[in-house]
Amino acid sequence: MKDKRDLYEFVSELIVMADEVASLAKNPEIEIQDAFTEFALLVEKLASIFSDLRDKSTIMDKPAIRKSLESLMNELGRAKTLIRSSSLKDPVKRIEDIAHDLGRSLGMLLVASHEVCIEFREKIGTLQKQLMNARFGGNMNLTSSSISRFVSEVEVRGEIEEEIIKVTSDDVLLQLKNGDAGELAVALLRFKKFIWDGKLDSGLINVEAVVFVLFNRLCSCKAGNRLTIIQLLRSIASGNDETKEKMTNVELLSAVVKSLTRDTEERREAVGLLLELSDLPVLLDVLSNNTQNALHMAEAGYFGPLVKHLSEGCDMNKILMATALSRLVLTDHSKLALGQEGGAIEPLVKMFNSGKLESKLSALNALQNLSSLTENVQRLIGTGIVGSLLQLLFSVTSVLMTLREPASAILARIAQSETVLVNQGVAQQMLSLLNLSSPVVQGHLLEALNSIASHPCASKVRRKMKKKGALQLILPFLKDTEIKTRSKALHLLYTLSDDLTDELTSHFDETHLFDIVGIVSSSTSDSEKAAAVGILSNLPVSDKKVTDVLKRANLLPILISTMNTDTGSNSPTKTQQGVIPLLVALLSRGSSITKFRAATALAQLSENSLSLRTCRKSRWLCVAPSIDAYCEVHDGYCFVRSTFCLVKAGAVSPLIQILEDKDWEAVEAALNALSTLLQDEIWEGGANCIAKLSGVQAIVNILEVGNAKVQEKALWMLERIFRVEEHRTKYGELAQVVLIDLAQRSDCRLRSTVAKVLAVLELLLVQSSYF
């Protein structure tokens, strides 16, 4: 299935489909009642098997099971279309073909469900044979669908029928053995005729010799002939235990196993043949003991033999299996199956820990392939491999250098899990390895460090990284000629810069600032540009030296040009309007990270609005400004371009809208921007503005779901807003329930702030020691 539906859900759909097909078949729109009624009875049994399977869905959710069920769904769909049709040529033959195809698909299910109880497998096997041998409306009772196909083939080859009759079995055997592709095709057709005439059971044909020849030709012939050979072998094996015993030679069956990796029809027939032989106890052992067969089965999605060799095989076989596993293109379902208990991860880790160099390398490459799935990462961490990987990276032994790349790649995957934070020293060890590694390993280490530093609970780790000189180690990578390495270093630098706002300037010299501005200007990667701008946004606004450097680097025109590109307009008019309208536009149209950065920039600009405004009573105004320029919040004349006023820029409403987002970085940035309207001199006008645009309700809502940092800022704002009696009256009752709840469940840092708001609402004395 292409989608990722739950197996229980999909089997339920199959049950509904089977019931529908059975119901239609009992009342067909064509006048062949008996044939379709017989088909309906078989389909009803199919629905019963699906019901049993649904009860076992949690243990049977495997790729091979899903493939077989998808095939059954397709065949039932064909049956439904056929039964509904009112004008079909030879409908009985068509419904027989569908029954046989359902049997083949059910055979795939039987092979795939070898771990299920015997009773359930016997139930599937019985119905599978009934479907494969189904003949409706009085047709001859042949032994398999391949024989019925022969009838139509003979009809279209009427001109050679007489010749076929005259040919002896020895002639056919010789042609099967030595003929070219064309002669082999004719010989196979003739041999089908012998089967149809019953000569196979007459003793006139050396069955053992024919089986041996057919298996040998299977290894070297073309696809069409391979398919016919497998169909013939199925016919020969059907119901004949003595013949089946002659087919359990491992070299012969290896050719059939290879067909498991080929096209759909050939794979289906190969599964059918293996199914015919599956009641022989020695078969699966014979197949799985051969390493090549185990590899072919793995390619087809059957991993049991491969895992067995990984766990119990000799060193060379383990290396073969691990190498194959590193090269297979695996679905998430396959990776999950290989990672579950009793799967491949534990034996691979054991190979890495105790094996020789070749074993270590093949094991690491296989683990790298499996580690892209989150569930497997958790299992990897549980094996204790992190310490071993770090120890390997510190090794200076030349023979182990080839292992460092896959080891660092696995560490980068493991670092995505917060579980790695349990080991507080991991990040520091990785930092110390940066300058001792190749570019590829450096890239993986930088990626791992960024993942670790990005975890919500990693503030302690980030502080330790800073003390260990992380910035000094990372900054040189800004000039790295390897683009991927530079990009990963830039993202790590941005992650760390969040906690180092006041200390950045001591680490960044003029060259570093020009390098970062250059990345904003020239990089073709949006994420790299965003990281560079993010670093610059974390620089302290008050540092005049930094501001002068950024001016000389032409940062503002570069930012305006970049934002014009992001908003889809490069018109001169847009550029002349300045940066504020562009930032406001990004509040509504951008991604979460874009909203965060736009709100951050607006907050920094808005902090200056109060000092840049023109007072109403200024003596220096030759011409009074337009009445539209008056701003009630700043109590003066404001202009978008010159005073960076949020109110005149129309930024307040989109900032309030961001408060409903789930991205807390963006929410915090929006709150910071809005809080600039509540500065000491203008708080009352700002409170009225925010309330007028329905911002109070949004801020109260944040208290219920936000993180501690966001809640703290929201409480500070509410304390000022509720100083206005009108807002206390309107929103106080709504807020008090949330505030009281927050007071009871929040940490000590927030409780004192909650107490201040409750005091403003006159629900608590200002001097109360409750909190």
Side-chain angles (χ1 to χ4, degrees):
M1 292 175 292
K2 293 182 181 179
D3 60 352
K4 294 188 177 180
R5 283 173 291 178
D6 180 79
L7 185 63
Y8 184 95
E9 176 187 346
F10 185 58
V11 175
S12 298
E13 292 177 20
L14 273 168
I15 295 170
V16 172
M17 174 68 89
D19 289 340
E20 186 178 359
V21 170
S23 177
L24 289 170
K26 290 177 181 178
N27 301 282
E29 297 181 13
I30 50 181
E31 297 178 359
I32 309 176
Q33 184 71 35
D34 292 343
F36 281 75
T37 300
E38 292 176 48
F39 178 72
L41 294 173
L42 291 175
V43 173
E44 286 176 343
K45 293 180 181 178
L46 198 58
S48 172
I49 285 175
F50 292 154
S51 295
D52 292 343
L53 177 61
R54 184 169 60 180
D55 296 336
K56 301 174 174 63
S57 59
T58 54
I59 63 169
M60 296 189 71
D61 194 355
K62 300 177 181 178
I65 297 286
R66 286 179 172 265
K67 285 181 183 177
S68 61
L69 295 179
E70 182 183 16
S71 180
L72 285 162
M73 178 66 90
N74 291 338
E75 299 304 338
L76 287 170
R78 286 178 55 212
K80 182 178 176 181
T81 303
L82 172 66
I83 296 167
R84 283 180 166 174
S85 178
S86 57
S87 57
L88 280 176
K89 182 180 179 181
D90 200 359
V92 175
K93 174 66 168 61
R94 296 282 297 277
I95 201 67
E96 282 179 358
D97 287 344
I98 290 176
H100 302 157
D101 287 337
L102 281 169
R104 292 188 189 94
S105 300
L106 200 58
M108 292 171 65
L109 177 62
L110 182 56
V111 172
S113 58
H114 58 85
E115 298 176 354
V116 186
C117 64
I118 294 174
E119 292 80 2
F120 183 57
R121 285 171 52 79
E122 286 179 350
K123 187 175 181 180
I124 298 176
T126 300
L127 180 57
Q128 189 267 343
K129 289 181 180 178
Q130 290 174 345
L131 286 165
M132 293 300 296
N133 296 325
R135 297 294 178 272
F136 306 126
N139 284 5
M140 289 187 302
N141 186 22
L142 306 182
T143 57
S144 77
S145 62
S146 58
I147 302 175
S148 70
R149 289 184 181 181
F150 167 74
V151 177
S152 59
E153 289 174 359
V154 171
E155 288 175 354
V156 299
R157 293 172 174 81
E159 67 275 9
I160 65 169
E161 187 171 321
E162 186 176 345
E163 180 186 351
I164 292 175
I165 295 172
K166 296 177 182 178
V167 175
T168 66
S169 59
D170 290 337
D171 293 331
V172 172
L173 185 60
L174 193 61
Q175 273 190 314
L176 288 173
K177 186 176 182 180
N178 301 319
D180 59 23
E183 292 170 337
L184 176 61
V186 173
L188 292 171
L189 182 63
R190 288 169 173 164
F191 191 69
K192 279 187 177 183
K193 182 68 166 63
F194 286 160
I195 294 175
W196 189 44
D197 289 342
K199 291 183 180 180
L200 193 65
D201 300 323
S202 67
L204 298 176
I205 296 177
N206 186 337
V207 177
E208 186 172 358
V210 170
V211 167
F212 184 78
V213 169
L214 289 175
F215 271 117
N216 277 332
R217 291 308 300 265
L218 189 59
C219 298
S220 58
C221 64
K222 294 182 179 179
N225 286 339
R226 280 201 311 268
L227 181 62
T228 307
I229 287 173
I230 297 173
Q231 291 171 342
L232 282 171
L233 287 168
R234 287 187 65 185
S235 298
I236 294 170
S238 180
N240 192 324
D241 290 341
E242 186 178 345
T243 305
K244 289 180 184 180
E245 292 285 353
K246 296 169 183 175
M247 293 185 179
T248 56
N249 181 290
V250 65
E251 293 180 2
L252 301 181
L253 285 173
S254 294
V256 182
V257 174
K258 287 180 182 178
S259 292
L260 291 173
T261 64
R262 295 187 172 117
D263 66 70
T264 303
E265 192 169 5
E266 185 174 340
R267 182 167 66 244
R268 189 181 290 176
E269 291 294 339
V271 168
L273 175 55
L274 293 174
L275 175 65
E276 287 287 352
L277 303 175
S278 64
D279 54 356
L280 298 175
V282 297
L283 175 67
L284 290 178
D285 288 336
V286 167
L287 287 176
S288 61
N289 285 338
N290 179 279
T291 55
Q292 201 61 40
N293 287 341
L295 294 177
H296 286 310
M297 288 177 173
E299 289 176 17
Y302 302 94
F303 299 109
L306 180 146
V307 172
K308 184 179 179 182
H309 281 289
L310 275 178
S311 302
E312 304 171 8
C314 64
D315 288 347
M316 184 51 66
N317 284 353
K318 289 179 180 179
I319 291 170
L320 282 173
M321 298 300 120
T323 302
L325 201 51
S326 69
R327 295 172 180 169
L328 284 175
V329 179
L330 300 170
T331 64
D332 284 350
H333 284 297
S334 295
K335 290 176 185 177
L336 188 60
L338 284 160
Q340 64 189 3
E341 187 174 352
I345 286 180
E346 283 77 8
L348 286 170
V349 171
K350 187 176 180 181
M351 280 178 67
F352 165 64
N353 286 331
S354 59
K356 295 180 180 178
L357 178 64
E358 193 174 2
S359 292
K360 289 179 182 291
L361 182 60
S362 59
L364 281 180
N365 287 330
L367 288 171
Q368 184 179 349
N369 196 10
L370 295 176
S371 64
S372 61
L373 191 70
T374 303
E375 293 86 344
N376 288 349
V377 167
Q378 293 303 122
R379 187 168 288 276
L380 260 176
I381 293 172
T383 65
I385 197 174
V386 175
S388 301
L389 293 173
L390 286 169
Q391 186 178 358
L392 170 63
L393 291 176
F394 276 109
S395 173
V396 293
T397 308
S398 58
V399 293
L400 297 178
M401 298 301 280
T402 54
L403 305 179
R404 302 183 83 192
E405 289 189 13
S408 60
I410 294 170
L411 276 174
R413 298 264 177 80
I414 288 176
Q416 295 173 12
S417 169
E418 286 195 56
T419 313
V420 78
L421 293 176
V422 173
N423 187 342
Q424 296 287 346
V426 170
Q428 283 66 49
Q429 292 180 67
M430 288 185 187
L431 274 175
S432 63
L433 288 166
L434 274 177
N435 289 333
L436 305 174
S437 305
S438 67
V440 174
V441 174
Q442 284 175 336
H444 290 314
L445 289 174
L446 288 166
E447 184 180 342
L449 285 165
N450 189 42
S451 293
I452 292 172
S454 299
H455 291 311
C457 301
S459 57
K460 187 176 179 181
V461 172
R462 290 194 293 270
R463 287 196 298 272
K464 284 189 176 181
M465 288 173 69
K466 182 197 72 172
K467 288 181 181 178
K468 290 290 184 180
L471 291 181
Q472 294 93 319
L473 288 169
I474 299 165
L475 282 170
F477 286 106
L478 295 180
K479 290 184 178 294
D480 203 294
T481 54
E482 178 60 47
I483 302 298
K484 288 184 179 178
T485 305
R486 184 189 76 180
S487 180
K488 290 175 181 177
L490 193 70
H491 282 86
L492 174 56
L493 198 59
Y494 167 61
T495 301
L496 294 175
S497 71
D498 264 347
D499 288 341
L500 301 172
T501 299
D502 296 328
E503 302 171 348
L504 284 178
T505 51
S506 63
H507 297 285
F508 283 36
D509 60 26
E510 185 173 314
T511 305
H512 296 136
L513 293 173
F514 270 89
D515 288 339
I516 296 171
V517 174
I519 291 170
V520 178
S521 173
S522 61
S523 176
T524 56
S525 165
D526 287 342
S527 66
E528 196 174 42
K529 283 184 178 183
V533 173
I535 294 168
L536 296 176
S537 72
N538 283 330
L539 292 168
V541 181
S542 57
D543 194 310
K544 188 175 183 303
K545 182 180 176 182
V546 170
T547 304
D548 289 341
V549 173
L550 296 179
K551 281 181 180 178
R552 283 189 282 116
N554 292 317
L555 175 62
L556 191 56
I558 291 170
L559 289 175
I560 293 175
S561 174
T562 302
M563 286 189 290
N564 274 330
T565 303
D566 290 341
T567 54
S569 173
N570 285 305
S571 67
T573 305
K574 194 83 170 180
T575 304
Q576 289 169 8
Q577 285 180 342
V579 71
I580 296 285
L582 290 171
L583 291 171
V584 174
L586 291 172
L587 293 176
S588 302
R589 292 187 238 163
S591 63
S592 292
I593 194 167
T594 302
K595 291 176 182 178
F596 159 67
R597 286 171 181 153
T600 300
L602 286 168
Q604 293 170 347
L605 291 167
S606 177
E607 285 176 354
N608 301 291
S609 296
L610 189 60
S611 60
L612 293 172
R613 68 180 175 172
T614 303
C615 293
R616 292 178 68 182
K617 300 176 182 179
S618 174
R619 295 179 299 166
W620 306 105
L621 290 176
C622 298
V623 179
S626 164
I627 191 170
D628 294 334
Y630 177 68
C631 174
E632 292 183 353
V633 173
H634 294 107
D635 192 24
Y637 297 107
C638 287
F639 305 90
V640 175
R641 291 185 60 187
S642 59
T643 65
F644 313 133
C645 175
L646 295 182
V647 181
K648 293 301 180 184
V652 180
S653 285
L655 285 168
I656 290 171
Q657 190 64 38
I658 290 175
L659 300 184
E660 298 178 8
D661 284 8
K662 300 301 181 185
D663 185 280
W664 297 117
E665 278 195 334
V667 171
E668 184 183 354
L671 284 174
N672 287 335
L674 291 169
S675 68
T676 62
L677 303 179
L678 298 171
Q679 297 177 68
D680 288 344
E681 294 180 42
I682 59 171
W683 65 266
E684 189 169 357
N688 292 336
C689 176
I690 292 170
K692 183 179 178 181
L693 296 172
S694 305
V696 180
Q697 174 75 65
I699 296 171
V700 171
N701 291 342
I702 287 171
L703 296 179
E704 294 188 83
V705 293
N707 59 36
K709 206 170 181 182
V710 166
Q711 288 172 333
E712 188 172 20
K713 177 60 72 173
L715 287 168
W716 181 88
M717 295 174 69
L718 287 174
E719 190 271 336
R720 299 208 158 196
I721 291 169
F722 287 148
R723 291 177 189 175
V724 180
E725 185 177 357
E726 180 185 349
H727 308 325
R728 286 200 305 271
T729 304
K730 186 172 182 180
Y731 299 104
E733 187 175 347
L734 169 73
Q736 71 181 44
V737 177
V738 179
L739 289 166
I740 292 170
D741 178 63
L742 187 62
Q744 293 172 339
R745 61 182 172 85
S746 63
D747 58 31
C748 297
R749 185 182 63 177
L750 282 182
R751 285 181 186 175
S752 60
T753 314
V754 173
K756 290 179 182 179
V757 183
L758 289 172
V760 171
L761 290 175
E762 299 176 354
L763 295 172
L764 194 70
L765 292 175
V766 177
Q767 299 88 350
S768 173
S769 60
Y770 181 79
F771 297 108

Tab-separated table of all heavy atoms in Angstrom, residues 567-602:
chain	number	residue	atom	x	y	z
A	567	THR	N	8.600	38.322	-0.527
A	567	THR	CA	7.186	38.692	-0.644
A	567	THR	C	6.742	38.810	-2.093
A	567	THR	O	5.610	39.175	-2.368
A	567	THR	CB	6.914	40.028	0.076
A	567	THR	OG1	7.822	41.025	-0.417
A	567	THR	CG2	7.109	39.879	1.569
A	568	GLY	N	7.646	38.521	-3.008
A	568	GLY	CA	7.271	38.452	-4.419
A	568	GLY	C	7.230	39.781	-5.122
A	568	GLY	O	6.556	39.928	-6.136
A	569	SER	N	7.920	40.804	-4.618
A	569	SER	CA	7.895	42.103	-5.283
A	569	SER	C	9.256	42.755	-5.218
A	569	SER	O	9.869	42.841	-4.164
A	569	SER	CB	6.857	43.013	-4.624
A	569	SER	OG	6.950	44.308	-5.155
A	570	ASN	N	9.751	43.196	-6.363
A	570	ASN	CA	11.009	43.930	-6.411
A	570	ASN	C	10.805	45.321	-6.992
A	570	ASN	O	11.722	45.924	-7.523
A	570	ASN	CB	12.030	43.170	-7.275
A	570	ASN	CG	12.586	41.973	-6.531
A	570	ASN	OD1	13.092	42.112	-5.437
A	570	ASN	ND2	12.479	40.807	-7.137
A	571	SER	N	9.586	45.818	-6.915
A	571	SER	CA	9.293	47.112	-7.522
A	571	SER	C	10.004	48.234	-6.782
A	571	SER	O	10.173	48.175	-5.566
A	571	SER	CB	7.782	47.368	-7.515
A	571	SER	OG	7.341	47.533	-6.189
A	572	PRO	N	10.433	49.310	-7.496
A	572	PRO	CA	11.099	50.440	-6.838
A	572	PRO	C	10.227	51.072	-5.775
A	572	PRO	O	10.705	51.496	-4.727
A	572	PRO	CB	11.351	51.405	-8.000
A	572	PRO	CG	11.334	50.558	-9.227
A	572	PRO	CD	10.364	49.463	-8.946
A	573	THR	N	8.906	51.136	-6.033
A	573	THR	CA	7.989	51.743	-5.068
A	573	THR	C	8.049	51.002	-3.746
A	573	THR	O	8.103	51.597	-2.670
A	573	THR	CB	6.544	51.721	-5.610
A	573	THR	OG1	6.533	52.356	-6.862
A	573	THR	CG2	5.600	52.384	-4.662
A	574	LYS	N	8.075	49.657	-3.848
A	574	LYS	CA	8.102	48.831	-2.635
A	574	LYS	C	9.371	49.104	-1.830
A	574	LYS	O	9.359	49.208	-0.610
A	574	LYS	CB	8.050	47.351	-3.048
A	574	LYS	CG	7.744	46.389	-1.916
A	574	LYS	CD	6.264	46.305	-1.674
A	574	LYS	CE	5.923	45.176	-0.722
A	574	LYS	NZ	4.513	45.072	-0.479
A	575	THR	N	10.488	49.219	-2.556
A	575	THR	CA	11.760	49.454	-1.880
A	575	THR	C	11.783	50.820	-1.208
A	575	THR	O	12.275	50.983	-0.097
A	575	THR	CB	12.902	49.350	-2.909
A	575	THR	OG1	12.839	48.077	-3.541
A	575	THR	CG2	14.257	49.507	-2.246
A	576	GLN	N	11.245	51.810	-1.874
A	576	GLN	CA	11.232	53.174	-1.322
A	576	GLN	C	10.387	53.281	-0.059
A	576	GLN	O	10.604	54.144	0.801
A	576	GLN	CB	10.713	54.167	-2.367
A	576	GLN	CG	11.723	54.388	-3.499
A	576	GLN	CD	11.098	55.134	-4.636
A	576	GLN	OE1	9.974	55.616	-4.522
A	576	GLN	NE2	11.806	55.261	-5.738
A	577	GLN	N	9.395	52.433	0.048
A	577	GLN	CA	8.528	52.493	1.229
A	577	GLN	C	9.271	52.108	2.497
A	577	GLN	O	8.829	52.390	3.592
A	577	GLN	CB	7.330	51.556	1.048
A	577	GLN	CG	6.298	52.106	0.092
A	577	GLN	CD	5.144	51.146	-0.062
A	577	GLN	OE1	5.249	49.973	0.265
A	577	GLN	NE2	4.036	51.646	-0.565
A	578	GLY	N	10.415	51.444	2.358
A	578	GLY	CA	11.214	51.098	3.522
A	578	GLY	C	10.932	49.715	4.059
A	578	GLY	O	10.130	48.953	3.526
A	579	VAL	N	11.600	49.390	5.167
A	579	VAL	CA	11.601	48.033	5.684
A	579	VAL	C	10.366	47.697	6.518
A	579	VAL	O	9.935	46.542	6.566
A	579	VAL	CB	12.892	47.793	6.509
A	579	VAL	CG1	12.857	48.562	7.812
A	579	VAL	CG2	13.115	46.324	6.757
A	580	ILE	N	9.770	48.677	7.200
A	580	ILE	CA	8.650	48.394	8.111
A	580	ILE	C	7.480	47.701	7.409
A	580	ILE	O	6.984	46.672	7.883
A	580	ILE	CB	8.175	49.684	8.810
A	580	ILE	CG1	9.284	50.240	9.709
A	580	ILE	CG2	6.917	49.437	9.627
A	580	ILE	CD1	9.500	49.486	10.982
A	581	PRO	N	6.969	48.246	6.274
A	581	PRO	CA	5.843	47.560	5.617
A	581	PRO	C	6.164	46.130	5.214
A	581	PRO	O	5.299	45.253	5.262
A	581	PRO	CB	5.569	48.435	4.387
A	581	PRO	CG	6.122	49.772	4.734
A	581	PRO	CD	7.312	49.501	5.577
A	582	LEU	N	7.429	45.884	4.829
A	582	LEU	CA	7.822	44.524	4.460
A	582	LEU	C	7.776	43.597	5.671
A	582	LEU	O	7.290	42.467	5.591
A	582	LEU	CB	9.232	44.535	3.862
A	582	LEU	CG	9.364	45.188	2.491
A	582	LEU	CD1	10.834	45.327	2.105
A	582	LEU	CD2	8.637	44.376	1.441
A	583	LEU	N	8.263	44.085	6.788
A	583	LEU	CA	8.220	43.276	8.010
A	583	LEU	C	6.785	42.988	8.433
A	583	LEU	O	6.462	41.870	8.847
A	583	LEU	CB	8.963	44.006	9.138
A	583	LEU	CG	10.486	44.125	8.984
A	583	LEU	CD1	11.041	45.059	10.059
A	583	LEU	CD2	11.148	42.763	9.086
A	584	VAL	N	5.928	43.983	8.324
A	584	VAL	CA	4.514	43.793	8.678
A	584	VAL	C	3.862	42.771	7.762
A	584	VAL	O	3.083	41.915	8.201
A	584	VAL	CB	3.748	45.141	8.628
A	584	VAL	CG1	2.249	44.915	8.859
A	584	VAL	CG2	4.296	46.103	9.671
A	585	ALA	N	4.187	42.827	6.465
A	585	ALA	CA	3.629	41.858	5.510
A	585	ALA	C	4.052	40.440	5.859
A	585	ALA	O	3.267	39.487	5.757
A	585	ALA	CB	4.080	42.214	4.091
A	586	LEU	N	5.304	40.280	6.317
A	586	LEU	CA	5.803	38.944	6.659
A	586	LEU	C	5.137	38.366	7.898
A	586	LEU	O	5.124	37.144	8.093
A	586	LEU	CB	7.322	38.999	6.870
A	586	LEU	CG	8.158	39.256	5.605
A	586	LEU	CD1	9.613	39.477	5.975
A	586	LEU	CD2	8.028	38.105	4.627
A	587	LEU	N	4.557	39.219	8.738
A	587	LEU	CA	3.848	38.721	9.930
A	587	LEU	C	2.665	37.855	9.550
A	587	LEU	O	2.282	36.943	10.294
A	587	LEU	CB	3.353	39.899	10.781
A	587	LEU	CG	4.406	40.769	11.469
A	587	LEU	CD1	3.730	41.930	12.175
A	587	LEU	CD2	5.238	39.953	12.452
A	588	SER	N	2.070	38.135	8.410
A	588	SER	CA	0.880	37.395	7.980
A	588	SER	C	1.201	36.313	6.965
A	588	SER	O	0.528	35.293	6.901
A	588	SER	CB	-0.152	38.358	7.367
A	588	SER	OG	-0.510	39.352	8.291
A	589	ARG	N	2.238	36.524	6.150
A	589	ARG	CA	2.493	35.611	5.037
A	589	ARG	C	3.637	34.639	5.262
A	589	ARG	O	3.785	33.666	4.550
A	589	ARG	CB	2.819	36.411	3.779
A	589	ARG	CG	1.654	37.197	3.231
A	589	ARG	CD	2.042	37.805	1.917
A	589	ARG	NE	1.906	39.250	1.954
A	589	ARG	CZ	2.452	40.066	1.091
A	589	ARG	NH1	3.199	39.590	0.134
A	589	ARG	NH2	2.278	41.364	1.186
A	590	GLY	N	4.480	34.913	6.216
A	590	GLY	CA	5.693	34.121	6.359
A	590	GLY	C	5.491	32.813	7.106
A	590	GLY	O	4.432	32.534	7.662
A	591	SER	N	6.564	32.013	7.128
A	591	SER	CA	6.580	30.799	7.940
A	591	SER	C	6.727	31.195	9.401
A	591	SER	O	6.902	32.366	9.736
A	591	SER	CB	7.766	29.922	7.515
A	591	SER	OG	8.980	30.610	7.776
A	592	SER	N	6.700	30.207	10.301
A	592	SER	CA	6.832	30.497	11.734
A	592	SER	C	8.150	31.198	12.044
A	592	SER	O	8.192	32.165	12.808
A	592	SER	CB	6.732	29.198	12.544
A	592	SER	OG	5.430	28.681	12.462
A	593	ILE	N	9.229	30.709	11.439
A	593	ILE	CA	10.532	31.313	11.723
A	593	ILE	C	10.614	32.724	11.133
A	593	ILE	O	11.225	33.617	11.703
A	593	ILE	CB	11.678	30.406	11.198
A	593	ILE	CG1	13.010	30.870	11.793
A	593	ILE	CG2	11.751	30.396	9.681
A	593	ILE	CD1	14.136	29.872	11.602
A	594	THR	N	9.937	32.928	9.974
A	594	THR	CA	9.917	34.266	9.378
A	594	THR	C	9.126	35.222	10.260
A	594	THR	O	9.532	36.364	10.489
A	594	THR	CB	9.297	34.204	7.966
A	594	THR	OG1	10.051	33.293	7.172
A	594	THR	CG2	9.307	35.572	7.309
A	595	LYS	N	7.990	34.757	10.768
A	595	LYS	CA	7.184	35.589	11.674
A	595	LYS	C	7.982	35.952	12.922
A	595	LYS	O	7.940	37.095	13.398
A	595	LYS	CB	5.910	34.846	12.076
A	595	LYS	CG	4.902	34.663	10.949
A	595	LYS	CD	3.723	33.834	11.429
A	595	LYS	CE	2.727	33.603	10.307
A	595	LYS	NZ	1.597	32.768	10.743
A	596	PHE	N	8.695	34.972	13.452
A	596	PHE	CA	9.517	35.210	14.641
A	596	PHE	C	10.532	36.321	14.385
A	596	PHE	O	10.674	37.252	15.180
A	596	PHE	CB	10.218	33.906	15.034
A	596	PHE	CG	11.436	34.092	15.890
A	596	PHE	CD1	11.343	34.567	17.181
A	596	PHE	CD2	12.702	33.807	15.378
A	596	PHE	CE1	12.471	34.751	17.976
A	596	PHE	CE2	13.827	33.992	16.153
A	596	PHE	CZ	13.721	34.456	17.450
A	597	ARG	N	11.214	36.225	13.252
A	597	ARG	CA	12.272	37.208	12.988
A	597	ARG	C	11.699	38.574	12.609
A	597	ARG	O	12.269	39.611	12.968
A	597	ARG	CB	13.204	36.660	11.907
A	597	ARG	CG	14.089	35.570	12.503
A	597	ARG	CD	14.890	34.812	11.526
A	597	ARG	NE	15.669	33.795	12.237
A	597	ARG	CZ	16.067	32.664	11.712
A	597	ARG	NH1	15.768	32.386	10.471
A	597	ARG	NH2	16.775	31.804	12.415
A	598	ALA	N	10.588	38.568	11.892
A	598	ALA	CA	9.963	39.847	11.555
A	598	ALA	C	9.472	40.552	12.817
A	598	ALA	O	9.664	41.760	12.999
A	598	ALA	CB	8.803	39.627	10.582
A	599	ALA	N	8.849	39.794	13.719
A	599	ALA	CA	8.359	40.371	14.976
A	599	ALA	C	9.519	40.857	15.837
A	599	ALA	O	9.435	41.916	16.490
A	599	ALA	CB	7.530	39.342	15.743
A	600	THR	N	10.614	40.110	15.844
A	600	THR	CA	11.799	40.516	16.610
A	600	THR	C	12.350	41.843	16.090
A	600	THR	O	12.682	42.754	16.866
A	600	THR	CB	12.883	39.421	16.526
A	600	THR	OG1	12.365	38.199	17.060
A	600	THR	CG2	14.116	39.820	17.313
A	601	ALA	N	12.446	41.958	14.758
A	601	ALA	CA	12.951	43.199	14.163
A	601	ALA	C	12.028	44.373	14.468
A	601	ALA	O	12.484	45.474	14.810
A	601	ALA	CB	13.096	43.015	12.653
A	602	LEU	N	10.716	44.153	14.358
A	602	LEU	CA	9.759	45.223	14.659
A	602	LEU	C	9.846	45.657	16.125
A	602	LEU	O	9.718	46.843	16.445
A	602	LEU	CB	8.336	44.751	14.325
A	602	LEU	CG	7.994	44.678	12.833
A	602	LEU	CD1	6.679	43.936	12.621
A	602	LEU	CD2	7.907	46.078	12.224
